[in-house]
Amino acid sequence: MFKLKLPTDPRWANIAEENIEEILTDHAWCEQKAATNAIGLITMLPEYPEMVTELLAIAQEELEHFGQVHEIIKKRGYTFGRTRKDDYVNELVQFIQKGGNRDDLIIDKMLFAAMIEARSCERFKVLTENIKDEELKVFYRELMISEANHYTTFIGFARQLGDEQKVNTRWEEWLEYEAKVIRSYGKGETIHG
């Protein structure tokens, strides 16, 4: 569905499961950042009420996910750590086109969001298929579906805002760039690490 060029090695799930407290803290903060990103997009699109409505729903859902992960952390007696720097996301930010017109920037920010949702969904699938923790298998399967819907929304908005062929071409560029970036990851105890 996402056409990611480099799949996550399933052994990453072993790293994640051995460091589940760290993964959960990192994941919680990823959800908070996703909510913040959706709100940021809202501020750029006041003239598109349907998009604002959908982005507001995404922001609320991401905050709900943040709360769900936080509850799992508390229930298991883990420590909820401070926010983490996300090197993967920071590298993706570098690929957002600078300059150009406002519409091109908004489209690229939609593709940026779609890329993060696509990779997160793929990582949640790897967790669902490879960890032994039954509670987290179910939880990550539900989130995988949600992330796939967010991906679809962001890529759909990009195509709605721009020429579909140009957007598709730019998406291919994003896929190529992300494949280069993700080669450095998949060995750490973070959602994108």
Side-chain angles (χ1 to χ4, degrees), residues 93-187:
V93 166
Q94 301 305 310
F95 197 62
I96 295 174
Q97 293 180 338
K98 311 298 186 275
N101 65 43
R102 178 177 174 270
D103 289 344
D104 289 342
L105 175 63
I106 293 170
I107 289 165
D108 232 34
K109 286 189 174 223
M110 290 290 182
L111 295 177
F112 163 78
M115 180 56 64
I116 294 169
E117 298 289 346
R119 181 57 71 183
S120 297
C121 181
E122 188 257 0
R123 287 285 169 99
F124 293 162
K125 185 174 189 291
V126 169
L127 286 173
T128 298
E129 293 173 347
N130 294 285
I131 63 173
K132 297 174 189 79
D133 187 310
E134 290 301 321
E135 178 189 22
L136 291 180
K137 272 187 184 198
V138 171
F139 178 64
Y140 280 112
R141 184 172 192 318
E142 290 169 3
L143 289 188
M144 178 182 70
I145 294 164
S146 176
E147 301 296 308
N149 289 335
H150 296 170
Y151 157 82
T152 302
T153 299
F154 287 124
I155 203 113
F157 284 168
R159 290 176 177 142
Q160 188 177 334
L161 290 166
D163 174 76
E164 189 169 345
Q165 188 55 44
K166 285 183 182 176
V167 170
N168 290 341
T169 298
R170 182 63 179 154
W171 179 242
E172 289 298 322
E173 292 169 359
W174 271 99
L175 290 166
E176 290 295 331
Y177 179 76
E178 195 270 351
K180 292 175 189 164
V181 168
I182 202 67
R183 279 189 183 93
S184 302
Y185 298 93
K187 300 168 191 78

Side-chain angles (χ1 to χ4, degrees), residues 50-116:
E50 296 82 16
M51 287 185 190
V52 168
T53 299
E54 188 62 33
L55 288 167
L56 181 57
I58 288 173
Q60 290 169 330
E61 189 171 357
E62 299 289 16
L63 276 179
E64 182 180 313
H65 295 163
F66 175 86
Q68 290 172 324
V69 179
H70 186 251
E71 285 303 314
I72 291 170
I73 290 168
K74 288 190 324 186
K75 183 175 87 176
R76 292 180 176 214
Y78 296 155
T79 300
F80 180 52
R82 293 190 180 276
T83 186
R84 308 305 203 252
K85 181 178 160 191
D86 192 327
D87 293 326
Y88 166 81
V89 170
N90 290 334
E91 285 191 58
L92 291 184
V93 166
Q94 301 305 310
F95 197 62
I96 295 174
Q97 293 180 338
K98 311 298 186 275
N101 65 43
R102 178 177 174 270
D103 289 344
D104 289 342
L105 175 63
I106 293 170
I107 289 165
D108 232 34
K109 286 189 174 223
M110 290 290 182
L111 295 177
F112 163 78
M115 180 56 64
I116 294 169

Side-chain angles (χ1 to χ4, degrees), residues 34-57:
T36 301
N37 187 59
I39 291 167
L41 287 168
I42 287 170
T43 67
M44 300 178 81
L45 296 161
E47 67 273 28
Y48 296 98
E50 296 82 16
M51 287 185 190
V52 168
T53 299
E54 188 62 33
L55 288 167
L56 181 57

